[in-house]
Amino acid sequence: MRVDGSVLDAARLGAELGEKATLVQFSTAFCQPCRATRRVLVEVARMVDGVAHVEIDAEAHLTLVRELGISRTPTVLVLDAAGRIVSRAVGQPRTVDVVAALGRAI
């Protein structure tokens, strides 16, 4: 997972940030790996207090997609409590990798 450094807030995401960290998933309607990614991220968010999962429809938010350089789905961003992007991954993540990225964010 690579680090970006950009900052996202609730207004740009269209959802509240988690108290400790936020898992942001960019998806598209017909993306098979996006469904599996959703399951992994929801599971991790349930396991770790203060972590939120936000899923963004990439096709409906093209300005944000372009700003962040999202080129494939799923793309997962891990934000710290301040909304700073501390990790980025493309493709379906493994639970262990998401948990490790959260460890760097919290």
Side-chain angles (χ1 to χ4, degrees), residues 25-42 53 55-58 72-76 91-93:
Q25 174 183 349
F26 285 86
S27 300
T28 52
F30 300 105
C31 167
Q32 273 302 112
C34 293
R35 292 182 187 117
T37 297
R38 179 184 314 115
R39 286 191 296 275
V40 168
L41 298 182
V42 166
H53 169 245
E55 188 168 2
I56 296 175
D57 179 349
R72 291 182 34 213
T73 58
T75 292
V76 177
Q92 183 180 332

Side-chain angles (χ1 to χ4, degrees), residues 1-8 13 17-18 20-26 37 40-41 44-45 48 50-54 68 70 75-90 93-106:
M1 289 192 169
R2 94 185 162 121
V3 176
D4 185 292
S6 298
V7 177
L8 298 172
L13 291 177
L17 297 176
K20 294 180 182 175
T22 306
L23 302 171
V24 180
Q25 174 183 349
F26 285 86
T37 297
V40 168
L41 298 182
V44 171
V48 184
V51 174
H53 169 245
V54 176
L68 296 172
I70 307 293
T75 292
V76 177
L77 307 177
V78 179
L79 312 181
D80 65 11
R84 188 174 36 252
I85 299 172
V86 297
S87 188
R88 172 193 286 248
V90 177
R94 298 179 313 155
T95 301
V96 66
D97 294 329
V98 175
V99 171
L102 277 175
R104 291 190 296 274
I106 294 178

